[in-house]
Amino acid sequence: EQQYDVRAVQDKWQDRWAELGTFAASDDPADPRERRFVVDMFPYPSGDLHMGHGEVFAIGDVIARYWFHKGYNVLHPIGWDSFGLPAENAAIKRNAHPAEWTYANIETQANSFRRYGISFDWSRRLHTSDPDYYRWNQWMFTRFFERGLAYRKGGLVNWCPNDQTVLANEQVVAGRCERCGADVVRRELTQWYFKITDYAQRLLDDMKQIEGGWSDRVLTMQRNWIGRSEGADVTFEIEGHGPVTVYTTRPDTLYGATFFVVAADAPLAEQIVSDEQRAALDAYRAEVAKLSDIDRLSTEKEKTGVFLGVHAVNPVNGERIPVWAADYVLADYGHGAIMAVPAHDQRDLDFARAFGLPVKVVLETGAEDPNATGTATPGEGRLVNSGPLDGLTKADAITKIISILEDKGLGHGTVNFRLRDWLLSRQRFWGTPIPIIHCPDCGEVPVPDDQLPVTLPDDLRGADLAPKGISPLAAATDWVNVDCPKCGGAAKRDTDTMDTFVDSSWYFLRYTSPGYTGGPFDPAKVKQWMPADQYIGGIEHAVMHLLYCRFFTKVLYDMDMIDFTEPFTRLLNQGQVINQGKAMSKSLGNGVDLGKQIDEFGVDAVRLTMLFGGPPEDDIDWADVSPAASQKFLARAYRVMTDVTSEPGVDFAAGDTDLRRFTHRTVDEVTRLVEGHRFNVAIARLMELTSAARKAIDSGPGAGDPAVREAAEALAIMLSVAAPYITEEAWEKLGHGADTSIARVSWPVADPALLVQESVTCVVQVKGKVRDRLEVAPDIAEDELEKLALASAKVQAAIGDAAVRKVIVRAPKIVNIVV
Ligand code: ANZ
Ligand code: ZN
């Protein structure tokens, strides 16, 4: 079947592209072409490329190659996200340095990318573990520090007992470490944070700029993660202790507060507990420390708590209500304490019923009494039992109670965010050292810019890197002990490294000028290329990575380093490649190896299969698709393209009209489908075009007809975005010089004259017999068609003297005359 040597063709064109510089972006500001910047989420070098990479990069490459064909100045770079724990774990196992494993894997992946035929501009290549990259992480950290956006604080943090490092909230999934799956515990530690909370409102507001370009799904996930709510801070007096503020989104229910709850693990609980209750609290806290936030907030979970032996005073009616400690209130949200309104909040009601606390309805919603049903009534209604609020709607009551509280100095309206500051410190080795020196006299002193980068010591390997709960860097005494840059006295380097999400928050900017030494990026180049026109990557990055990129962009804007506030105009989140209905995994044994698929079917067939399997956002089940069928189609297409016998440059207008119409309709549709990212449907159209051209060759005007060449060339160009190798080869066989690449040939343009709908043949029957055929417009109206049919001489002859009883019209195909 195979009419060409797949491997030889792949090798030949990889070399040709490199020689010709086919995919080099032009940095010349005078280049008249419009620019397009395509960024694929860069890979982590954990081994060779896997099927997931096969999918993302196939998609990104269609978009980039399409833009090359459209004549844009395209920047399509590649780099590696090459810091992180797996390298360190591999190094411990092999008694090596993490760099050895990392850079070997990068080389493997780079070779696989070349073979996979991705249209990269290789001159932009970067690795985040290179000192001349991470130097700029440190530079940026220093700028953030100067602006008060990087700071250290103590507090309870998520700790992975297996990896022996802290984790950001975002890295804890259902109470477990996102990487290793161990149960995460809470620990009290002093850590570095980025103050992303200062940008919470802007992260919401600027979504307006990217709506339409990003899916609603991702924007909703970000919105929920930021979690803005409006409500009030209300101050209660705790008897014998002093004022304590709570945050509530329902200040209208203040008269319905029947008890007060403090987060069991908040310092406040310890401070206010009575002597009699202290032992009970301590025991309870030990239990709570074992739970994740998700467990704690679950409405399913049985309510637990301890009475603290004190009372709080409701500021509006002077009522004394008992103060409890419980796990369903979180220490680090709002003020870590709540007023409980069991009638209108389900968790409060569950708690009240568990401990026999009173339930007081203050909003008449028409629903049954929560006392009787056990179901809280959070809905709309009118206020009752609420003094000055009685009779008001929920909304009016909120406004009124806030103004009452503000007048009395007992509270105020406020906005709250669920978003927490970004916990940055990691107690591991293979990451960017935090460029801070701790001096006993001067405190936290940033390493001066001209002494950056602070590089990782290269003599730590194997067991030196084993997790100990403090960074392995702490053991490198020569490295740790330095002179204070300010006073010259003996001081120590910070031994933590940065979360690797710092590395990936700005790499796309570095792609514009990867060798730049005057800063993290050349501002002129960023102005030329950014914001990126298309970003492509998995939905799993919807909240962390994509939120951090947006945050960094805004900070850099505030530093006057860039002139835009959103980094990616369009975002495409591709689905996963799964097998037999499940994510591929070692334990299930359902893994599919990308390299082996390529060895067996060739790059083109594998890429085509990735794209043809369904819309790019959906998962592809490899068990449901057929690279062998893709291979067969490609062979058919190749035969059509190489059967052409006319010469390049023939006048297409002289060709067969039917085939020309088909070709131009296909061009028109495929163009729109590619722009709308409906790649699978576009490929289906190309299959139809292949069949139409085949028919024209075998049983139509023949292989020499100019329309056949037109169809074959259009097919080659459009198919080349998905199957670059076979189409390059066909293009050469079609007689285009050896020093050209199809990748830079203009995308075909549909001729509007050939898109006009042809006529349709309408059959006219009299007494069930076909009497005439009419050529009519496809959109002809029924009454007009009826008139035309009755006016036909052949039809009139068939009717003769008989009376017409009924005319059944099925426009535009059939008219049936009953006499
Ligand atoms: C009284 C009340 C009555 C509440 C009512 C709700 C309904 P969002 O919308 O997510 O911001 N809350 C406040 N701080 C909390 C904490 N640290 N841990 C757990 N829950 C806390 O949630 C705000 C609501 O969640 C607040 O409004 C408070 O309960 C609770 F009918 O106050 B509410
Ligand atoms: Zn000093």
Side-chain angles (χ1 to χ4, degrees):
E1 266 268 8
Q2 219 71 267
Q3 297 145 68
Y4 66 103
D5 178 343
V6 174
R7 235 170 252 230
V9 165
Q10 289 175 181
D11 291 347
K12 165 179 159 185
W13 286 98
Q14 284 157 34
D15 293 347
R16 189 76 61 83
W17 292 327
E19 274 160 38
L20 295 175
T22 307
F23 305 115
S26 160
D27 265 333
D28 180 359
D31 194 308
R33 294 173 299 164
E34 229 181 279
R35 57 89 174 162
R36 286 287 186 279
F37 186 10
V38 187
V39 186
D40 312 291
M41 283 188 190
F42 64 168
Y44 181 79
S46 51
D48 200 350
L49 299 182
H50 53 64
M51 293 294 278
H53 294 125
E55 169 81 355
V56 198
F57 289 94
I59 292 170
D61 207 37
V62 171
I63 296 171
R65 284 175 176 270
Y66 172 70
W67 280 339
F68 274 112
H69 287 298
K70 294 291 279 185
Y72 297 121
N73 182 15
V74 179
L75 173 54
H76 187 202
I78 182 66
W80 276 269
D81 188 14
S82 49
F83 267 145
L85 260 186
E88 204 164 329
N89 292 338
I92 294 165
K93 227 195 242 157
R94 292 155 205 230
N95 193 29
H97 191 278
E100 293 164 27
W101 182 87
T102 301
Y103 287 92
N105 285 343
I106 288 177
E107 249 0 87
T108 304
Q109 293 195 347
N111 289 331
S112 294
F113 274 131
R114 278 207 192 80
R115 170 157 91 137
Y116 205 47
I118 305 298
S119 61
F120 291 137
D121 179 342
W122 283 95
S123 71
R124 313 279 173 151
R125 176 172 173 172
L126 58 82
H127 317 123
T128 59
S129 54
D130 289 353
D132 64 2
Y133 184 88
Y134 70 72
R135 166 183 182 183
W136 302 111
N137 284 341
Q138 294 172 336
W139 185 93
M140 285 206 228
F141 177 95
T142 308
R143 300 289 90 75
F144 278 46
F145 180 79
E146 290 162 357
R147 301 176 79 82
L149 291 173
Y151 69 97
R152 244 168 29 131
K153 74 168 177 197
L156 281 173
V157 297
N158 303 304
W159 179 262
C160 173
N162 181 46
D163 291 328
Q164 294 272 310
T165 182
V166 297
L167 301 170
N169 283 337
E170 292 86 335
Q171 289 166 324
V172 181
V173 178
R176 291 163 189 276
C177 170
E178 179 199 44
R179 285 212 183 277
C180 74
D183 282 332
V184 169
V185 296
R186 310 277 280 171
R187 261 210 186 177
E188 175 81 28
L189 279 176
T190 296
Q191 301 281 290
W192 286 100
Y193 290 82
F194 277 153
K195 215 165 181 197
I196 190 172
T197 50
D198 271 10
Y199 285 74
Q201 190 61 49
R202 283 168 68 186
L203 286 164
L204 285 175
D205 293 343
D206 289 352
M207 285 189 192
K208 272 198 253 14
Q209 292 179 46
I210 47 178
E211 271 166 15
W214 290 36
S215 68
D216 290 341
R217 184 177 172 204
V218 170
L219 293 179
T220 302
M221 285 168 83
Q222 292 212 351
R223 222 172 262 126
N224 291 341
W225 190 261
I226 295 166
R228 182 185 195 275
S229 67
E230 287 178 11
D233 277 352
V234 183
T235 303
F236 284 65
E237 185 73 18
I238 299 210
E239 288 175 351
H241 175 72
V244 171
T245 301
V246 298
Y247 172 68
T248 174
T249 46
R250 294 293 306 279
D252 57 308
T253 63
L254 185 49
Y255 285 82
T258 54
F259 57 101
F260 191 101
V261 188
V262 177
D265 48 343
L268 178 67
E270 278 183 314
Q271 290 159 17
I272 62 176
V273 67
S274 67
D275 291 342
E276 301 80 63
Q277 290 299 93
R278 186 170 297 278
L281 174 66
D282 288 346
Y284 182 58
R285 284 166 70 106
E287 288 307 305
V288 172
K290 295 178 190 159
L291 299 172
S292 72
D293 283 4
I294 309 257
D295 292 336
R296 293 175 57 163
L297 289 174
S298 164
T299 45
E300 318 283 87
K301 188 184 163 293
E302 199 198 322
K303 290 286 170 286
T304 58
V306 172
F307 176 50
L308 292 181
V310 290
H311 285 77
V313 180
N314 188 323
V316 286
N317 59 9
E319 238 172 67
R320 293 176 75 234
I321 56 178
V323 180
W324 287 67
D327 58 3
Y328 79 99
V329 172
L330 301 178
D332 60 359
Y333 184 65
H335 301 284
I338 66 160
M339 64 178 208
V341 185
H344 306 295
D345 182 282
Q346 190 61 46
R347 279 176 296 163
D348 293 345
L349 182 60
D350 294 342
F351 193 87
R353 288 166 75 92
F355 294 100
L357 294 160
V359 179
K360 180 178 164 198
V361 173
V362 290
L363 191 83
E364 208 45 81
T365 62
E368 274 182 72
D369 188 344
N371 270 302
T373 60
T375 304
T377 57
E380 301 296 324
R382 298 268 172 189
L383 272 286
V384 293
N385 301 323
S386 295
L389 306 181
D390 282 353
L392 295 180
T393 61
K394 186 162 141 182
D396 289 346
I398 289 176
T399 312
K400 177 144 188 193
I401 190 72
I402 287 176
S403 92
I404 292 174
L405 290 168
E406 284 176 354
D407 285 348
K408 296 189 174 163
L410 294 168
H412 56 89
T414 185
V415 168
N416 208 22
F417 294 93
R418 210 156 267 284
L419 184 69
R420 303 281 76 133
D421 277 340
W422 173 2
L423 200 175
L424 193 76
S425 318
R426 294 292 179 276
Q427 289 70 45
R428 298 302 297 259
F429 173 76
W430 193 232
T432 306
I434 289 177
I436 290 286
I437 290 167
H438 298 280
C439 168
D441 294 327
C442 314
E444 294 162 350
V445 183
V447 175
D449 286 354
D450 61 8
Q451 289 169 34
L452 298 178
V454 177
T455 52
L456 290 167
D458 50 21
D459 53 351
L460 294 184
R461 51 200 302 116
D464 301 338
L465 306 173
K468 298 173 188 70
I470 53 163
S471 167
L473 287 172
T477 33
D478 289 352
W479 185 89
V480 170
N481 293 316
V482 286
D483 296 339
C484 168
K486 243 190 201 160
C487 70
K492 284 188 189 307
R493 288 194 192 283
D494 198 292
T495 56
D496 284 350
T497 52
M498 295 182 202
D499 180 6
T500 55
F501 275 116
V502 176
D503 314 356
S504 53
S505 294
W506 65 279
Y507 73 109
F508 41 92
L509 296 164
R510 184 83 181 157
Y511 275 146
T512 65
S513 41
Y516 193 64
T517 53
F521 49 81
D522 178 345
K525 295 290 176 244
V526 163
K527 210 175 164 71
Q528 185 182 345
W529 291 107
M530 288 291 296
D533 300 280
Q534 182 70 59
Y535 196 31
I536 303 129
I539 190 81
E540 68 275 18
H541 293 297
V543 280
M544 309 178 258
H545 168 59
L546 287 168
L547 203 64
Y548 295 155
C549 291
R550 298 183 59 221
F551 165 55
F552 259 63
T553 302
K554 289 171 207 312
V555 176
L556 291 168
Y557 174 87
D558 290 350
M559 289 165 63
D560 280 331
M561 290 184 65
I562 56 178
D563 62 359
F564 52 90
T565 51
E566 284 295 330
F568 312 121
T569 311
R570 289 220 290 182
L571 170 72
L572 191 156
N573 299 111
Q574 87 287 352
Q576 274 186 295
V577 186
I578 58 175
N579 194 21
Q580 294 146 5
K582 299 205 179 65
M584 294 185 195
S585 78
K586 267 198 195 118
S587 57
L588 290 175
N590 65 342
V592 177
D593 185 87
L594 179 64
K596 285 192 186 132
Q597 294 289 303
I598 293 174
D599 289 342
E600 189 172 350
F601 301 106
V603 167
D604 285 341
V606 171
R607 288 179 51 155
L608 195 80
T609 306
M610 294 278 182
L611 296 163
F612 190 51
E617 296 84 357
D618 291 2
D619 289 351
I620 302 184
D621 192 332
W622 207 249
D624 294 344
V625 296
S626 169
S630 299
Q631 210 180 18
K632 278 206 188 105
F633 159 65
L634 289 170
R636 248 187 302 135
Y638 187 73
R639 226 176 298 128
V640 161
M641 295 184 282
T642 51
D643 278 354
V644 173
T645 54
S646 61
E647 289 303 310
V650 287
D651 181 12
F652 294 152
D656 176 72
T657 311
D658 282 350
L659 181 57
R660 294 206 70 207
R661 282 185 192 284
F662 198 98
T663 302
H664 283 258
R665 267 209 311 277
T666 307
V667 167
D668 182 57
E669 280 187 79
V670 169
T671 305
R672 271 183 284 125
L673 289 164
V674 170
E675 291 197 345
H677 299 166
R678 309 269 60 98
F679 309 125
N680 54 327
V681 188
I683 291 167
R685 293 287 172 275
L686 295 178
M687 291 174 172
E688 289 162 16
L689 179 59
T690 305
S691 302
R694 182 79 259 156
K695 222 170 117 198
I697 294 169
D698 293 347
S699 54
D705 189 282
V708 170
R709 172 170 282 273
E710 185 179 35
E713 292 197 345
L715 174 63
I717 298 164
M718 294 189 288
L719 187 58
S720 76
V721 298
Y725 290 115
I726 195 173
T727 47
E728 286 282 15
E729 195 62 15
W731 192 250
E732 196 179 274
K733 297 264 168 18
L734 276 162
H736 302 285
D739 55 346
T740 56
S741 161
I742 194 173
R744 301 297 288 266
V745 173
S746 293
W747 189 257
V749 179
D751 178 351
L754 289 166
L755 294 179
V756 178
Q757 287 266 36
E758 304 128 285
S759 57
V760 178
T761 307
C762 175
V763 173
V764 187
Q765 297 179 328
V766 181
K767 285 196 281 184
K769 270 200 187 135
V770 177
R771 294 298 180 177
D772 199 2
R773 288 190 165 79
L774 306 171
E775 288 300 308
V776 298
D779 57 350
I780 189 164
E782 299 211 332
D783 53 344
E784 199 189 331
L785 185 56
E786 180 176 336
K787 263 188 234 150
L788 271 179
L790 291 170
S792 147
K794 286 179 192 162
V795 169
Q796 283 182 358
I799 296 173
D801 293 337
V804 173
R805 287 189 22 225
K806 207 167 163 195
V807 182
I808 303 157
V809 184
R810 295 269 177 279
K813 293 252 169 92
I814 297 175
V815 178
N816 207 339
I817 298 166
V818 185
V819 296

